[in-house]
Amino acid sequence: IAGQLINALTGMVGALMTMTGNQNVYLRVYFAASFADIILNILLVPWMGVLGAAIASSVSIVLLNVIMYVLVWKRLGVKASIF
């Protein structure tokens, strides 16, 4: 739930980057977050089981959205958040 809350609060950052021609930047950040998810799953699932998988997914979602939020703000000058 925490990961999806951050996802909702950061707005449509992936779509904004894709629509403005920054899809390659989005793709690189998406791959980095996916790699972090895989590594975290390898580390956490044997130790914590399903809870470890949930934590890994949540962390990777937060990582992706926070990095993309900052990049949207710096590259496009748009604050995509609801705040």
Side-chain angles (χ1 to χ4, degrees), residues 19-80:
M19 289 188 293
T20 57
N22 293 295
Q23 63 273 7
N24 291 333
V25 175
Y26 178 67
L27 182 64
R28 285 191 296 254
V29 175
Y30 192 86
F31 277 144
S34 297
F35 182 73
D37 188 33
I38 292 168
I39 296 301
L40 286 170
N41 271 297
I42 290 170
L43 295 173
L44 295 178
V45 169
W47 180 47
M48 301 176 76
V50 175
L51 182 61
I55 291 170
S57 295
S58 185
V59 167
S60 66
I61 289 170
V62 169
L63 181 69
L64 172 67
N65 282 288
V66 168
I67 291 172
M68 291 310 302
Y69 178 78
V70 171
L71 288 174
V72 165
W73 186 14
K74 288 187 179 205
R75 285 180 176 254
L76 305 176
V78 174
K79 285 193 172 183

